[in-house]
Each structure stands twice: as C-alpha cells, then as structure tokens.
Amino acid sequence: MITQLVYGLAGIVLFLLGVWSFLVHDPLLRKLIALNIMGAGVFHILMAVAYRGLDAPPDPIPHALVLTGIVVAVSATALALTLGQRLERRDD
Amino acid sequence: MIDWLALTVALPLLGAVFAVVLPTRARGIGMAAALLTTAMALSVSVQVVQGITLRSDLGGWGAPLGIGLQADGLSAALLVMANLVALGISAYALDYFDAGSRRHFWPLWLLLWTALNGLFLAVDLFNIYVTLELLGISAAALGALTGRREAVAANLRYLLVGLLGSMTYLLGVALAYTGLGTLDLGLAAQALTPGPLAWTIFALMLGGLLLKTALFPLHFWLPPAHAQAPAPVSAALSALVVKAAFYLILRLWLDLFGPVAGPAAGTLLGMLGAGGVVWGSWRAFRAERLKLLAAYSTVAQVGYLFMFFPLMAAAAIPRRQELFGALVLLALTHGFAKAGLFLSAGLLQKTAGHDRIAELGPATQSLPAVAFAIGFAGVALIGLPPSGTFVAKWVLLSESFASGQWWWAPVVLAGTLLAAAYVFRLLANAFGPGLQPGAAGGGDQSQCLVPIGRAVQAPALLMTLIAVVLLGLGAEPLWTLLQEPPP
C-alpha cells in the first residue's frame, strides 16, 4: 500500500516538474523532454493504480493505457523533432 | 449487419493507408474515401434522427474493457456538420495542391478526418484522449505542409501547446480511473460524487481542453497557426478541429460533470468567453491580412460559445434545452461559415498572390462568386438574419435578460458591432477601385491576377449558403434532435 502511494505521489511530482520545465525553458529539446516527463508522471500513476497486491495479478487496463500512451508520446515527439529540425536547418 | 459507427471511423483510416501506399493515386483514393465517409456519417445521423440508439462495442468487448462507439443527438449534429464541411474541403483541395504536396496532404487529411469522426463517437475517456492526440498531430503536420519557415514555427508551437493540453487531460483520465474505477462515460458519471477528487479531475480535463479550444487568454497559439496553414487546412483547423475540442468540453460538462460543474465554473467560462469576443473581434478588425482576420474571428466566435455556459448553469430544464440547442446551432453555423471564409480567402490569395486586405480589390472583383461567399460568411459571422448565428444570439440575449444576467448583453452587442466593422472592411474591396490600368497601385497588380475555375468556387459558396439559409430558416429540427431522452 505504501509502495503504491509513493509511486503515485512520485508520478504527480514528476508531472508538476514537467509542467514547470515546459513553461520556463525555451529550447525545443527541453520542452519536449519536459512533455515526456509529464507523460512519465501520468504513466507512473497508472502503474500504481494497476497494482492489486502481491497475490493478485495487476489490473490490465492501466497497462494497456500506458502502452498506448507511450506510442502516442513517441509519435508526437518524433513529429515535433522533425519540425524543429526543419527550423534549425533554415537557420544556417 | 453493417456496423455504421465503425465504418464511419474506419473508412477514412483505410483511405489514408491506401493514399500512403499508392501516392500517385492519392487524389482519387482521397476523394473516394471522402464521399464514402460522408455517406456513412449521414446514414448514422439519419438513424439517430429516427430515434435508433446506435452503440457498437468493437470486437465484441463490452463497456469496462473494450472500445465503444455511440451516437446521440449531439454527436450526430456535429458529425453531419464536420463531414459535410470536410467533403467541401476535399472537393476544394482536389486542385489546390501541386503534385508534390498532394501525396502528403491526402493521407494526413484522411487521418485528421478519422480522428474527428472517432472523437465525435467515442464514449470512453481514454479513447477520447487517443483521438484528441491523433487530431492534434495530424492537424499540426497539415498546417506545416507548405514548409515555409513561419508556417513550421507556428505549427510547432501549436503542436507543443496541444501536447501540453492533452497531457493535462491525460492526468485527469488517470485520476478518474483511480477514483472511479472506470473509463466509460456513462459508468463514470454514475460513480462521480462531488468532492476534492471530482473537482481535480474536472479542473484538469477542462483546463487541457480549454487550451485546445483556444479560449481567451489561451488563444495565443491559434492566429499564427491558422493563418499560416494552406487554405483548405486553415478551414479544417478553424471550422472543425477547434469545434472538436469544444464538443468534448460540452460533452463532459453535460454527461460527466453535471453534479460538479456549478454556476461559478460557468460564470468563469462566460467571462473568459466575453474577453475572447471583445479581444478577438478587435484584433480581427485591426488585422491587415485576410487569413489573420479570419483566424482572430474564430477566437471571437469561440468566445460566444462559452458565454452560453453561465446561462445554462443557472437555467431550469426547458430553458436549458433552448440554450443548449442555440449553442449547438452557433457552433454548426460557425463551422460552415468559417470554412467558407477560409476557402474564399485561399482563392483570393491564389488570384492576387497575397492576402493583404487593402490591396485585394481587383482580385475580389474578378471573382464574383467568392465575393458573394465572403458576404454570406460575413452575414453569419455578424449574426444578421436569417443566419443560424442570428437565432443563437437571439436566444443568448433574451435568456441573459430573462435570467437577470444582463451584463452579457453589452458584450454581445460590442462583438456584433466589431464583427460588422471587419466584415464590411472586407466587402468594401468589392466596390472599391478595381481594374483600372494606370490608376495608382491598381494597374500593375491587375496584370498578374491568376484565373480561377468556376468549380473551385462552388464549395465555399455552398457552405456559406448552408450557414445563412439552411441553418437559419431550418434550425428547428435541431432542438428535437438534441432533446434529452427521458431517463
């Protein structure tokens, strides 16, 4: 129970750190990392929710959500990096 | 048995896949998918009008585990609008892009369409998140299609802001699953009780979606992104993508957060909306470029939508229904009118080679059908009768007086006057000095006007006609459609 709570709270802290970093830092790469940290925070919470004790198997739904969320985050990050690269190339 | 709901989402997705595999045929595949998808969406809506409850659990997996699709009056209304507008945009886009952009446009466009239809039919909170992200990613990619520096920069910012919004929403989803144990909208609504957890979920989901709806003062990303995109994409972004996020706010407000969303939250949204109306209209009035004007006008129109919330929160059931209908009518009218305006702007830009309002006289005069479409779009944006906006603003004004919240009325008045000012500024071009060789400034421009075919002008004109005539004079069935079924 305590482990679960620590995991969940750590997720919320990660999310807040991500928001702070996203709003404060200007470079694209830092913003993207911040967004991914926010995502990691949410996934942390979902993992904590899935835990149902040592004897019972974990709840599969949050796991499915995390997997889908990772796919979405990867594609969004890839697109943002491509657009950013296009901008940098023009700077030269 | 045909699964209409699944096909409405699957057809554009299939089209997108085929358009990627066969890039030389992308245009034909795209148009075929567009026609079939629209037919599916219309048949879904016809069945909803006939009172058939459509619900489909994909793969036979039920509510707690599987992905469900469902259509009710609200989703049917938006589905029809979005698919008709998207069909018009597709027809317009047939000849808009050159061969190089074409093979990128069609797959992304069909993907965006998939996300839209999926979003209108989704009934579970996580599925909504997925469609929302799919929508944001394909919209940003489409907006940057020209590859011009400003376009890429504006759409990168759009993408990042969108991601911030959807991440916030996703945290709300995670907390909802923690607290309520389900993601299905109906089951979650039964489990939700007012308290700190419900308020947190409400604030996170609403905050994320407000960012995507561009409610003042969170609108800063919208004008550059919408103004820099290619015209058919601008039309889709302003008319459909923003509406999709708004639809989610409305859906969650009505179906999930009923016990939590009180008059205080409504008043806050209404005040921000009022700010958007005044600021957006003012900036549209001051804009020097046509597409920027249209984009700021979207900020203002989104503002009107949110001004319904304080009135709806305070009203009893029959009046609430009336406001709800007017709100949806306003969203639909704006969808058609703004798409028509952006498509017209695209034609003027192609003809004249620029979109500086002050110098558009010759181009406007060479395209009478486009000038007409801009006029109709203007009627709908101002809210002159018989447009749907007129009916909606009438309900908004009379309800604000009837409920004693009279302070919304001056905002509506100011917004309407400013809208009239910016629309007439556009229309003045059609009557100003035009093709006079030798006249100061006009002579050399008239020679580089690019001729535009008649067929390309049809979608814009038709869409604005729907906004003004059909949605104005034939709006009544909408209220019947949106009637809440007896519990």
Side-chain angles (χ1 to χ4, degrees):
Chain A
M1 189 65 207
I2 293 289
T3 329
Q4 202 180 4
L5 200 64
V6 168
Y7 246 79
L9 288 179
I12 291 178
V13 171
L14 273 178
F15 185 87
L16 293 176
L17 272 175
V19 173
W20 171 78
S21 180
F22 181 87
L23 295 177
V24 169
H25 295 118
D26 208 33
L28 171 67
L29 215 53
R30 296 196 71 166
K31 277 195 191 297
L32 277 179
I33 294 173
L35 277 171
N36 278 288
I37 289 177
M38 285 169 68
V42 179
F43 300 153
H44 246 74
I45 298 171
L46 285 169
M47 298 299 260
V49 178
Y51 182 73
R52 290 191 289 206
L54 282 174
D55 311 324
D59 182 357
I61 294 179
H63 285 188
L65 303 191
V66 171
L67 279 178
T68 318
I70 290 174
V71 173
V72 170
V74 167
S75 12
T77 309
L79 177 62
L81 283 175
T82 315
L83 292 181
Q85 200 185 23
R86 182 66 76 86
L87 280 181
E88 295 228 328
R89 218 182 287 158
R90 295 288 173 80
D91 277 340
D92 301 335
Chain B
M1 199 198 129
I2 303 171
D3 191 339
W4 302 96
L5 294 173
L7 277 177
T8 311
V9 185
L11 277 173
L13 185 61
L14 273 177
V17 172
F18 279 115
V20 173
V21 178
L22 303 166
T24 47
R25 302 265 169 103
R27 202 162 66 141
I29 294 169
M31 204 54 211
L35 283 168
L36 285 172
T37 308
T38 311
M40 281 303 142
L42 288 179
S43 67
V44 164
S45 304
V46 167
Q47 293 179 60
V48 173
V49 171
Q50 288 168 344
I52 302 168
T53 311
L54 285 175
R55 160 111 199 183
S56 113
D57 294 308
L58 299 181
W61 291 92
L65 205 61
I67 293 172
L69 299 172
Q70 195 174 326
D72 64 355
L74 177 59
S75 37
L78 277 137
L79 204 61
V80 169
M81 184 276 278
N83 281 270
L84 287 179
V85 169
L87 184 65
I89 292 174
S90 305
Y92 176 94
L94 281 177
D95 290 317
Y96 187 88
F97 294 103
D98 56 33
S101 307
R102 215 176 266 161
R103 41 188 283 252
H104 298 297
F105 170 78
W106 286 102
L108 286 169
W109 166 235
L110 291 171
L111 213 56
L112 186 137
W113 201 334
T114 309
L116 271 177
N117 284 354
L119 192 147
F120 290 137
L121 298 173
V123 279
D124 92 61
L125 293 169
F126 189 74
N127 215 9
I128 288 175
Y129 163 75
V130 174
T131 53
L132 203 59
E133 283 283 35
L134 191 55
L135 191 66
I137 293 175
S138 47
L142 274 175
L145 205 62
T146 57
R148 276 184 297 114
R149 197 183 158 72
E150 306 84 37
V152 174
N155 280 283
L156 178 57
R157 185 158 71 149
Y158 172 40
L159 179 68
L160 289 176
V161 170
L163 284 173
L164 182 66
S166 41
M167 276 298 164
T168 313
Y169 173 85
L170 184 62
L171 181 62
V173 174
L175 290 185
Y177 190 75
T178 313
L180 310 174
T182 178
L183 293 168
D184 185 77
L185 261 179
L187 297 176
Q190 288 167 16
L192 192 84
T193 44
L197 180 75
W199 291 324
T200 316
I201 299 171
F202 177 56
L204 286 169
M205 288 189 171
L206 195 69
L209 291 171
L210 286 180
L211 198 56
K212 283 189 168 270
T213 327
L215 177 63
F216 177 86
L218 305 172
H219 68 283
F220 56 92
W221 54 268
L222 183 146
H226 287 196
Q228 293 290 347
V233 178
S234 307
L237 293 179
S238 250
L240 306 179
V241 176
V242 170
K243 272 332 155 319
F246 177 76
Y247 158 81
L248 287 181
I249 292 178
L250 195 59
R251 164 74 66 200
L252 294 178
W253 187 283
L254 294 173
D255 289 0
L256 181 58
F257 295 116
V260 188
T267 306
L268 178 67
L269 287 188
M271 277 159 57
L272 296 179
V277 167
V278 175
W279 180 246
S281 306
W282 173 250
R283 288 300 300 263
F285 176 60
R286 301 286 300 163
E288 280 173 11
R289 287 175 179 269
L290 177 50
K291 284 176 77 184
L292 200 61
L293 179 149
Y296 270 113
S297 139
T298 298
V299 174
Q301 298 285 329
V302 166
Y304 284 117
L305 297 177
F306 282 100
M307 287 174 65
F308 280 87
F309 282 85
L311 298 170
M312 274 170 66
I317 288 293
R319 281 202 164 148
R320 215 178 125 109
Q321 275 303 316
E322 185 141 343
L323 281 162
F324 180 38
L327 170 58
V328 175
L329 179 62
L330 186 60
L332 300 184
T333 313
H334 177 249
F336 283 110
K338 190 48 66 66
L341 183 60
F342 263 121
L343 295 187
S344 310
L347 291 178
L348 287 182
Q349 196 173 22
K350 248 194 173 166
T351 307
H354 66 83
D355 69 337
R356 291 185 293 276
I357 295 168
E359 299 163 30
L360 278 178
T364 315
Q365 287 166 18
S366 73
L367 297 170
V370 171
F372 224 68
I374 292 182
F376 272 134
V379 167
L381 289 177
I382 301 170
L384 296 175
S387 68
T389 322
F390 172 75
V391 180
K393 278 189 178 171
W394 181 272
V395 174
L396 180 66
L397 280 177
S398 52
E399 286 299 321
S400 64
F401 283 119
S403 65
Q405 302 189 39
W406 55 268
W407 46 85
W408 304 116
V411 180
V412 176
L413 216 61
T416 307
L417 274 177
L418 279 169
Y422 67 70
V423 168
F424 285 121
R425 228 179 100 217
L426 284 182
L427 290 178
N429 282 324
F431 303 100
L435 299 164
Q436 291 166 342
D444 49 334
Q445 271 173 26
S446 60
Q447 280 153 16
C448 49
L449 286 185
V450 179
I452 296 279
R454 289 231 179 101
V456 199
Q457 305 179 28
L461 194 59
L462 280 175
M463 278 193 249
T464 50
L465 264 174
I466 291 178
V468 172
V469 181
L470 197 67
L471 284 173
L473 300 178
E476 212 193 329
L478 187 63
W479 272 268
T480 329
L481 179 66
L482 293 173
Q483 204 66 251
E484 276 169 27

